[in-house]
Amino acid sequence: MKNLILLLTLLITTISFAQTESQVNREETRTVEDKMEATQRIVDYENEIFRDGSIEINPEYPGGPEAVDTYLKKKIKVSKEELEKQGNKKIYAQFVIEKNGSLSDIKVLNSSSTELSEEFTKALKKMPKWKPAKQNNQIVRSSYILVFKPNTN
């Protein structure tokens, strides 16, 4: 009788351990499969727009941020009244830097003046080309948000 109880206990322990081990193996396999699927995702380097934070080499304006600010302050000409409408608020422009360095899909955000928005957009469209972003050693399209504080002088 003792042998039978011992045998049953051993059998139950073995079966429950085998099920637990099997469940762990299935979950490990699923996790590995998920990781493989994520790394094997096909990236369309021709058309995908990469966002800041997911780019290996960010786009860059020749001369850096100071040069952008200088360029925009020279090109944006609006009346004093329009600048007063904006007050001390900064204006944001969201756009895509294409693979050739040109800008597209320009949207001006947080502007209190239609004239100021139009001038800002016009200046961005005429802006010299940027150095485009790179991902996996390939030139890619990228989105960019530019913050600008207009001259109030």
Side-chain angles (χ1 to χ4, degrees):
M1 186 66 159
K2 287 183 184 180
N3 288 341
L4 184 60
I5 292 174
L6 185 60
L7 185 61
L8 277 172
T9 306
L10 186 59
L11 184 62
I12 290 171
T13 306
T14 305
I15 290 172
S16 66
F17 178 74
Q19 287 178 340
T20 305
E21 187 69 28
S22 175
Q23 289 171 340
V24 168
N25 286 343
R26 274 196 301 261
E27 287 189 23
E28 285 177 0
T29 303
R30 203 172 307 125
T31 303
V32 169
E33 287 172 351
D34 290 345
K35 286 180 183 175
M36 285 176 57
E37 191 175 304
T39 58
Q40 291 177 350
R41 181 175 88 82
I42 297 172
V43 178
D44 180 3
Y45 288 102
E46 282 300 312
N47 298 312
E48 187 162 335
I49 298 173
F50 289 81
R51 307 220 179 289
D52 194 25
S54 69
I55 304 172
E56 290 172 358
I57 300 175
N58 288 319
E60 188 179 312
Y61 185 76
E66 296 83 19
V68 172
D69 197 51
T70 301
Y71 170 83
L72 291 173
K73 285 182 177 176
K74 279 184 191 174
K75 296 294 180 180
I76 297 175
K77 304 289 182 207
V78 292
S79 66
K80 204 168 198 147
E81 294 81 31
E82 295 299 316
L83 288 173
E84 287 171 1
K85 282 184 191 177
Q86 186 65 25
N88 284 332
K89 292 189 299 183
K90 295 176 181 174
I91 303 173
Y92 300 86
Q94 179 181 2
F95 49 84
V96 173
I97 301 170
E98 297 293 339
K99 292 170 75 172
N100 68 0
S102 65
L103 307 184
S104 67
D105 300 329
I106 299 169
K107 294 178 184 91
V108 175
L109 313 166
N110 199 40
S111 175
S112 302
S113 161
T114 306
E115 183 182 338
L116 186 55
S117 293
E118 289 171 359
E119 282 292 310
F120 194 23
T121 302
K122 189 168 38 171
L124 289 172
K125 285 181 179 178
K126 292 180 180 179
M127 184 175 251
K129 293 189 177 195
W130 289 57
K131 181 179 176 187
K134 282 190 175 182
Q135 183 72 16
N136 291 330
N137 213 24
Q138 293 188 40
I139 295 174
V140 295
R141 301 171 74 209
S142 62
S143 67
Y144 195 87
I145 296 178
L146 178 69
V147 181
F148 177 67
K149 175 107 175 54
N151 268 339
T152 51
N153 299 339

